[in-house]
Amino acid sequence: HYKGHEIITTKDLTSEMHIYTLIWDENSIKWYLDDSLYNECYIKEPIDGRKPFNEDFFFIVSGGVGSDFSGKKIDHKLLPQTFEVDYIRVYKKFENPFIISAAVAANGNEVEVLFSEHLKEPDRFLKDFELRDNNQLLSISSASMKSRDNRTLLLRLSSPITKNSLLTLSYKGDSIRSFHNLALKKINSLFISNNTTGSSPVPLSAATKDDFTIALTVNKNLEQNDLKQEDFFARVNGKEVQFQTAAIHQTMSTIIDLRMKNPLFKEDTILLYYRGGNPLLSIDKGILQPFSGITVTNLISEKFRIPGKIEAENYTAQQGMMSESCNDEGGGRNLGYIEEEDWLEYTIYVAKAGKYQVEYRTSSKSATGVIVLRNEENILTRTTIEPTTNWQLWNTTKSDTFILEKGIQKIKLTAAKGGFNINWFSIVEVSL
């Protein structure tokens, strides 16, 4: 759909140069005219089930005239016209460098550390790192960048690394910076891959796989034996959580899938622990050693706990609505330009099955709107939205009651009649 906003300016756009800006990040696309924002589109979550703004894009700069919007033919008496471009400039946001990987080199007495960014001042790196073997501090004899490669650091040890070594790397200093002068953050106990035969498998990463599952990836293929889920546990926001099942992935034996009873949420901080106990072997008979507090990358899509309040602009997907600044209590943004059959979709987690009711925070200058709430394809309730006489004069309207089952589900708010704005809505439990 073609969507946008108008901007009113007293400047003559035809007689002097003006700056048109597009700022595009993982959350939104924003359009500016001479530093004034006139349109914004939120793109972090899928749109109609797709993520088109994650694909490659191209700049097309043209002086086209006429359009599908106007539906008018070109008046050739007005031609020729001139379209002048002074410059087009593209900028990339600089990011802090981070370690992509750390592994024992083929010669057995060096550790290769690969960074995400090109580094500067490599002669200062020796004092910044600690190498430990089973928590015993090792002596680093020298540190230098790999020849003609200022992304790979070589840490040379005073003695060779054995197959029984369980190596971890820590960064304690503050001198490592990228060419753009952004600092490497401090690192505690990053596991180093040791791929020699019989060496212990080590964790490379841990990340959420779905709402209930954490996938732990190690550097070696594991034997397909029965795992004991009690050997693993997690801390979610500081609270210990047990796993219901633990299994080696059927087709990728470097991955252990750990599944818990209750779902995880986008805002959760998750740490993973392994107690050991029952030997977990790689196919070359290396033994996975106990570890503590590995940070789990949280890739969970946003879902909302019910009962609870949801800001309208935090949708999973939507059709037809636009975000704008809001003058309601608390400020923020609301969704407007709502027409018939426009809709919003959200993922929710209902903690307890029961009877519920929606409270909608809306405004409308003169039109009477209607919101239909669906759970999947089932209509839960239909609510009339009365006008408030002003687009930024807000009122709370309660729906009829309905039943929600426990669990993760999608809800959809559809405008059966448009002409209103929505700031937030709250789903509250009602006593039976």
Side-chain angles (χ1 to χ4, degrees), residues 109-110 125-126 139-144 153-158:
N109 66 351
E110 288 181 336
F125 293 163
L126 178 59
S139 175
I140 303 175
S141 61
S142 65
S144 63
L153 176 67
L154 299 177
L155 300 174
R156 297 179 183 86
L157 301 179
S158 301

Side-chain angles (χ1 to χ4, degrees), residues 304 306 348-354 356 404-409:
F304 300 95
I306 299 303
I348 62 172
Y349 171 66
V350 182
K352 175 186 173 183
Y356 290 86
L404 285 176
E405 298 298 325
K406 179 180 178 179
I408 298 172
Q409 49 199 281

Side-chain angles (χ1 to χ4, degrees), residues 160-404:
I161 298 167
T162 68
K163 73 174 185 178
N164 296 319
S165 296
L166 185 63
L167 300 172
T168 56
L169 176 69
S170 299
Y171 170 65
K172 305 295 186 180
D174 58 4
S175 66
I176 294 185
R177 293 182 174 272
S178 68
F179 278 169
H180 304 300
N181 206 36
L182 295 178
L184 176 70
K185 295 181 180 179
K186 289 180 172 58
I187 300 167
N188 291 319
S189 300
L190 174 71
F191 283 102
I192 298 172
S193 295
N194 184 359
N195 295 313
T196 56
T197 302
S199 60
S200 298
V202 297
L204 296 181
S205 65
T208 55
K209 187 176 182 179
D210 56 40
D211 291 304
F212 296 88
T213 308
I214 293 171
L216 171 66
T217 302
V218 298
N219 67 317
K220 290 186 167 188
N221 290 302
L222 302 173
E223 287 189 346
Q224 289 284 355
N225 57 352
D226 291 332
L227 299 185
K228 304 296 183 182
Q229 67 266 19
E230 59 266 25
D231 289 343
F232 296 87
F233 70 94
R235 290 191 184 277
V236 180
N237 303 321
K239 182 179 179 180
E240 185 170 320
V241 176
Q242 305 301 319
F243 292 104
Q244 282 194 313
T245 62
I248 297 172
H249 196 280
Q250 290 296 315
T251 59
M252 298 184 67
S253 58
T254 57
I255 297 176
I256 302 171
D257 289 328
L258 303 163
R259 187 170 180 84
M260 56 185 58
K261 179 181 179 181
N262 293 317
L264 295 163
F265 291 82
K266 181 178 181 179
E267 63 273 16
D268 288 341
T269 299
I270 312 164
L271 298 176
L272 181 63
Y273 298 77
Y274 174 60
R275 298 185 179 97
N278 299 287
L280 182 56
L281 303 178
S282 61
I283 58 175
D284 63 354
K285 306 308 178 184
I287 301 175
L288 182 66
Q289 301 296 316
F291 57 78
S292 298
I294 290 180
T295 299
V296 178
T297 302
N298 190 343
L299 304 174
I300 301 293
S301 297
E302 191 160 38
K303 59 182 176 289
F304 300 95
R305 291 178 175 88
I306 299 303
K309 178 181 176 182
I310 302 174
E311 295 292 337
E313 67 270 21
N314 293 333
Y315 50 79
T316 301
Q318 69 102 357
Q319 175 179 289
M321 303 187 192
M322 299 295 293
S323 172
E324 62 184 4
S325 296
C326 182
N327 293 336
D328 195 8
E329 182 179 349
R333 303 187 71 80
N334 65 262
L335 297 182
Y337 301 88
I338 300 173
E339 300 174 353
E340 185 176 334
E341 297 305 317
D342 287 349
W343 54 264
L344 298 163
E345 191 172 78
Y346 304 84
T347 302
I348 62 172
Y349 171 66
V350 182
K352 175 186 173 183
K355 191 176 182 181
Y356 290 86
Q357 184 180 51
V358 187
E359 297 176 352
Y360 296 105
R361 188 67 170 174
T362 61
S363 67
S364 172
K365 186 173 183 179
S366 57
T368 299
V370 175
I371 300 176
V372 176
L373 177 66
R374 289 181 172 85
N375 175 354
E376 305 301 335
E377 295 302 319
N378 302 314
I379 295 180
L380 299 175
T381 185
R382 184 183 179 96
T383 306
T384 299
I385 305 300
E386 299 294 344
T388 60
T389 70
N390 188 289
W391 287 114
Q392 288 296 325
L393 181 62
W394 297 89
N395 184 47
T396 302
T397 302
K398 294 183 178 181
S399 75
D400 295 333
T401 59
F402 52 89
I403 300 297
L404 285 176

Side-chain angles (χ1 to χ4, degrees), residues 3-7 21-22 29-33 36-41 322-323 333:
K3 293 290 180 180
H5 282 154
E6 293 180 350
I7 184 170
T21 305
L22 182 72
I29 302 175
K30 299 177 181 179
W31 290 262
Y32 295 81
L33 171 60
S36 295
L37 177 69
Y38 68 88
N39 195 22
E40 182 174 6
C41 178
M322 299 295 293
S323 172
R333 303 187 71 80

